[in-house]
């Protein structure tokens, strides 16, 4: 994800991604609302959600190295 102001790619910790997915999964707010609150794009949050699910199914670590 590129930062619009600087043009540099933003990096997020595994913990941030996991918490973002937890917030989306609570169902209190829509995925779009959670993403907007966190300053990320909705498709990014959906991708993190899918990747976390796949990592649980395969037993691999979620978001290694990011």
């Amino acid at each position: 994800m590129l930062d619009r102001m600087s043009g540099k790619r933003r990096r997020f910790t595994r913990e941030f991604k996991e918490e973002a997915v937890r917030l989306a999964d609570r169902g209190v707010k829509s995925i779009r609302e959670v993403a907007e609150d966190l300053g990320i794009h909705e498709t990014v949050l959906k991708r993190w959600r899918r990747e976390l699910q796949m990592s649980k199914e395969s037993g691999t670590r979620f978001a290694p190295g990011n």
Side-chain angles (χ1 to χ4, degrees), residues 33-62:
E33 290 171 322
V34 172
E36 286 176 1
D37 289 349
L38 296 174
I40 59 176
H41 197 278
E42 177 181 2
T43 57
V44 171
L45 182 52
K46 287 179 180 179
R47 185 182 72 227
W48 292 349
R49 187 184 211 191
R50 185 176 58 250
E51 289 173 352
L52 181 59
Q53 182 61 39
M54 288 173 32
S55 72
K56 287 179 180 178
E57 291 172 1
S58 66
T60 60
R61 185 173 173 214
F62 173 64

Side-chain angles (χ1 to χ4, degrees), residues 2 13 17-18 24-25 27 30 36 41 50 64:
L2 293 179
T13 64
K17 294 175 183 181
E18 289 173 341
D25 286 347
S30 70
E36 286 176 1
H41 197 278
R50 185 176 58 250

